[in-house]
Amino acid sequence: MAAPGEYFSVGSQVSCRTCQETRLQSNLASRARLEKEEKMSQAYAISAGVSLDGQQLFQTIHKTIKDCKWQEKNIVVMEEVVISPPYQVENCKGKEGSALSHVRKIVSTFFFFF
């Protein structure tokens, strides 16, 4: 049962139909789990002493590539690319290929706008 002032509780199944009769569904438990994982990742980065640039870069990469995690202060993307501090393009290491070039492009774009 949802608490007063809340509409849904964790674990609720939510569905609706669009005006084109497309059925949409969402499982609030999986959304809550994903949100918890993201918060735990942020907490880990802060406790490990990762710079603000590193934390923001991780979040930027994670928006595009979900297979992204922390390994101490390094960002590991798709188990193929490792980005070490200070998280610049030249700090992206991995086997030459599309994964490495894609991650380098994300990193260079990130620092271009920040």
Side-chain angles (χ1 to χ4, degrees):
M1 191 76 177
E6 293 182 6
Y7 297 98
F8 306 105
S9 61
V10 173
S12 297
Q13 280 284 66
V14 179
S15 73
C16 66
R17 292 193 186 273
T18 66
C19 52
Q20 286 86 25
E21 290 300 314
T22 303
R23 188 167 185 222
L24 305 174
Q25 282 190 280
S26 177
N27 184 332
L28 296 182
S30 63
R31 293 178 94 185
R33 187 187 82 251
L34 290 173
E35 200 167 303
K36 179 183 175 186
E37 288 173 5
E38 288 179 20
K39 297 296 182 192
M40 294 295 288
S41 177
Q42 290 173 348
Y44 172 82
I46 292 168
S47 69
V50 174
S51 69
L52 186 57
D53 280 345
Q55 294 173 43
Q56 291 173 337
L57 176 61
F58 180 91
Q59 291 171 355
T60 299
I61 294 169
H62 194 261
K63 287 178 188 174
T64 307
I65 305 170
K66 296 298 180 200
D67 187 3
C68 178
K69 64 183 180 184
W70 288 105
Q71 188 176 62
E72 297 178 13
K73 290 187 179 187
N74 298 326
I75 301 171
V76 180
V77 184
M78 299 181 296
E79 299 291 334
E80 293 184 36
V81 180
V82 177
I83 311 168
S84 55
Y87 310 106
Q88 300 292 321
V89 174
E90 57 271 10
N91 303 111
C92 299
K93 306 292 184 214
K95 181 179 162 194
E96 286 297 326
S98 61
L100 181 60
S101 63
H102 184 63
V103 171
R104 283 180 174 160
K105 184 176 181 179
I106 293 171
V107 173
S108 68
T109 303
F110 172 81
F111 283 104
F112 178 77
F113 288 107
F114 287 95

